[in-house]
Each structure stands twice: as structure tokens, then as C-alpha cells.
Amino acid sequence: RPRVLSGIQPTADSFHLGNYLGAVRNWVAMQETHDTFYCVVDLHAITAGHDPEVLRQRTRVSAAQLLAAGLDPDRCTLFVQSQVPEHSQLAWVLSCITGFGEASRMTQFKDKSAKQGADRSSVGLFTYPILQAADILLYQADAVPVGEDQRQHLELTRDLAHRFNTRFGKAFTVPAPYIVKETAKITDLQDPTAKMSKSASSPAGIIELLDDPARSAKKIRSAVTDTGREIVFDAEHKPGISNLLTIYAALSGRTIDDLVVAYDGKGYGDLKKDLAEVVVEFVRPIQERTRAYLDDPAQLDKMLAIGADKAGAVASVTLRTTYERVGFLAPA
Ligand code: TYM
């Protein structure tokens, strides 16, 4: 089976619909066809300032949500990044073959550091994509299911794998991004030209999986739509209604064409009202299951420890090869 690795940051109280439709939904599906490794990337979550107790809680809530969304510890390896020390160890080696200019061109870093100011941006924020490359390369991943916003980081990962292999001898599989076009960029409900984002969206623009369902329904009903009244899919000229159609299709399993036909002659309000119900029905069971996992944190931690053991067994083999190729003495 081809190998998969992907990760998600525990930087909010809840994942949002963009995370789910752009990434997590595909993680769940790939358990059937791939050898899958999924991690909650807590090392990445300390790059922009955080509170330790909040991080600890969010890490557990993240794992619980992933399980609630359909990850099955018997069919995938689910773990927390900091519990597998090889991630940090490989990141150092990779940072030494990454150009300073090359890292400076990462648009996510440029955006975030421009917002925070250079003096308030950490070096960790700068080297973030290198740690992400380490996450992926340690597992010899063939495919990395992510949303569109991760494409450039994946390109860097591929460059680093190739560079290392050429310079020191083959140690890494060169991974391919796995980006499902239809749902790769879910947009902000209040600003449908921008992506739905934990850090950038206003509360009204983002649907959080763990939010009060009534509030989520209201956000869908007050989503910004476009001028005109026709329900058609046209991401360029009608980004608002197109985003709602994308979400509706993905959550209901109906096709966009099918929805367009079904809403022929009806108004935006009708579609929003129905989609609001679909969203409520979708989040309700996820919330129930998340709560159930969080009711027993000791059991959850145990599950994650088993995941870290399984992940570590793979990661340590890659790290050993890498260290040997670079010229480090074998461990005593
Ligand atoms: P993060 O935590 O920001 O997001 C997790 C996943 O959700 C996707 N995503 C979206 N997809 C569609 N529409 C949206 N509006 C949307 N917003 C977010 C992201 O593309 C991502 O797949 N750097 C990564 C975490 C990471 C990682 C890795 C990913 C660390 N190591 C190794 C893959 C492999 C990040 O910040 O994702």
C-alpha cells in the first residue's frame, strides 16, 4: 500500500469546515487504500505564541475530533508530533540543506511575518516549512493529502528530498501532494474570495465543527452571496454561492450539477436554509463523539502513546539512514 502522511495544527478550539473538507475527509477515505500516518503538529503550534495549558487541551481536542470525524486507530497511525523526537532531529539536518533565500520565499511565512512584524516573528515561524518537510520525509510518504494553501510547502519538501538524495545518497521518497480540487479551498462565508482560516477569518466567516450548531446554521444563513439571484456554479463571478454549493455537495454527497438543477427557480435564501440544516446534521454526531473521547482523557492519551510508538518505529529507521548518509558516527 502506498504510504500517506499528513498533519494538522492544534491552534484553535475547534477545526473548521475548510480543514475538514480540504484535508480530514480525505484522510478518513485514504485509510481504506493507503498505509496512513496522521499527526497533530504541536511543535508547529508554538511558532506564533501560545499558552501551555491551552495547547495541551487543544492537542487532546484535536485528536478527539479526528477520531470523531472517522480516523480509526486500528486502521491508521494517529500520533502527536512532539512525542516522536525524530521530527525535530530530522528538521535540523534538513535546515542545513535549505537555502536562506529559499525559505524566505515561502508565502505563508511572508504573510504571517508581515502581519506580526519582523521583530515579533520567531525563527521557528521561519523554519516551520522545514519541520513540515521532516514530518513527511520521515515516513517515506508517497502522498500528502492537504488543502491548496499547503502546495508551496509540499514543493519545498520535494526539493529537499531530491536534494538530499542527490547529495548524500537516497534516503527519502519524493512525496506528491494529494489535493482534491473541488474542496481544496473552502472560502470565508463573509469574504468568499479569501480562504476560510483559523487565524484570518472573522467568527462569522468560519464554521467550527465544535461550535453551537444553531450558531453555525445562522452563519450559513447570513453568508455573503453575490449580486443576481440565480443559483449557478461560477467560482470567479459568483464566489459566494459557489462556495455554498461546494460545501453543500461535499456534505450531502450530491453533485453540484444535481443541486443546481434542484434549486432552479429558487432563491439564495432557500439554498441557505437547506444547507444550514445539512451542516447542523453533519456537526451534531461529530460533537457527540468528540465529547465522548474527551470524557476519558487517560484512554485518549494511551491511544496516542500507542500511535507515537508505531510512528517512532518508522521514523527512527529513516533518521538512522539519514544520519549515516550525512556522516555522523553510529550511536554508541
Ligand atoms: P493547518 O493546520 O493550517 O490545516 C490543516 C489542513 O486543512 C487544510 N485547510 C483547508 N483546506 C481547504 N480549505 C480551507 N479553507 C482550508 N484551511 C485549511 C490545510 O491545507 C491542511 O491540509 N502546515 C500545515 C500542517 C502540517 C502538515 C505537515 C501538513 C504540518 N506538518 C505535514 C501536511 C504534512 C498546516 O498549517 O495545516
Side-chain angles (χ1 to χ4, degrees):
R1 282 188 165 197
R3 179 70 61 75
V4 156
L5 176 121
S6 198
I8 190 160
Q9 293 199 71
T11 43
D13 294 328
S14 169
F15 295 146
H16 59 66
L17 213 43
N19 300 135
Y20 177 76
L21 294 178
V24 176
R25 195 167 76 119
N26 299 323
W27 299 9
V28 173
M30 288 173 112
Q31 294 179 115
E32 311 293 335
T33 47
H34 291 68
D35 180 19
T36 48
F37 288 77
Y38 299 123
C39 72
V40 178
V41 294
D42 55 348
L43 297 173
H44 280 108
I46 65 168
T47 53
H50 74 287
D51 175 283
E53 274 320 311
V54 173
L55 175 62
R56 213 180 324 271
Q57 177 60 11
R58 285 177 171 175
T59 300
R60 289 201 183 96
V61 175
S62 297
Q65 271 177 104
L66 292 174
L67 293 164
L71 292 192
D72 173 355
D74 290 331
R75 289 182 305 152
C76 74
T77 301
L78 173 63
F79 66 103
V80 174
Q81 186 188 32
S82 65
Q83 294 187 328
V84 182
E86 284 83 358
H87 290 246
S88 307
Q89 293 174 296
L90 181 60
W92 174 256
V93 174
L94 295 178
S95 74
C96 296
I97 63 162
T98 308
F100 190 85
E102 185 177 36
S104 308
R105 283 191 290 276
M106 294 293 114
T107 55
Q108 206 155 57
F109 169 73
K110 287 199 282 185
D111 292 349
K112 288 196 177 167
S113 61
K115 226 186 274 170
Q116 295 176 358
D119 283 332
R120 297 181 63 214
S121 302
S122 69
V123 173
L125 185 68
F126 182 64
T127 57
Y128 177 116
I130 302 170
L131 177 61
Q132 179 166 352
D135 299 340
I136 297 165
L137 299 182
L138 275 177
Y139 299 90
Q140 308 292 348
D142 300 289
V144 185
V146 286
E148 181 60 41
D149 61 352
Q150 297 302 311
R151 192 181 286 280
Q152 194 188 31
H153 290 165
L154 268 273
E155 213 36 65
L156 176 71
T157 304
R158 289 168 57 84
D159 288 346
L160 294 178
H162 187 72
R163 188 174 306 157
F164 188 99
N165 289 345
T166 311
R167 205 172 286 176
F168 299 109
K170 185 162 185 336
F172 302 125
T173 301
V174 180
Y178 180 93
I179 298 174
V180 178
K181 193 165 144 274
E182 289 75 12
T183 49
K185 186 183 170 191
I186 301 299
T187 63
D188 185 316
L189 298 178
Q190 290 299 315
D191 176 6
T193 56
K195 75 165 180 183
M196 187 179 284
S197 155
K198 292 187 251 224
S199 51
S201 295
S202 69
I206 131 173
I207 300 287
E208 296 193 310
L209 303 186
L210 302 184
D211 198 1
D212 171 16
R215 186 152 54 216
S216 294
K218 183 154 177 257
K219 289 182 190 178
I220 294 281
R221 287 193 306 266
S222 10
V224 166
T225 29
D226 320 281
T227 52
R229 27 190 339 269
E230 224 191 328
I231 294 175
V232 289
F233 188 88
D234 179 348
E236 196 185 333
H237 300 105
K238 299 182 103 177
I241 200 70
S242 299
N243 190 42
L244 295 181
L245 282 167
T246 297
I247 294 171
Y248 200 153
L251 292 183
S252 67
R254 296 165 74 177
T255 66
I256 288 182
D257 287 346
D258 185 32
L259 291 170
V260 167
V261 171
Y263 283 93
D264 185 31
K266 297 190 181 167
Y268 291 158
D270 300 310
L271 182 132
K272 288 185 192 174
K273 195 165 135 291
D274 294 347
L275 176 57
E277 273 170 40
V278 169
V279 167
V280 168
E281 291 314 309
F282 168 72
V283 296
R284 221 194 286 280
I286 290 190
Q287 296 188 359
E288 278 164 20
R289 290 196 290 263
T290 301
R291 269 196 296 273
Y293 284 113
L294 291 173
D295 271 349
D296 193 349
Q299 174 62 24
L300 187 62
D301 288 2
K302 208 166 105 196
M303 199 185 297
L304 292 170
I306 293 170
D309 268 354
K310 278 167 47 187
V314 176
S316 61
V317 173
T318 303
L319 188 75
R320 211 174 310 132
T321 308
T322 313
Y323 270 21
E324 195 270 324
R325 295 272 195 275
V326 175
F328 295 158
L329 292 182

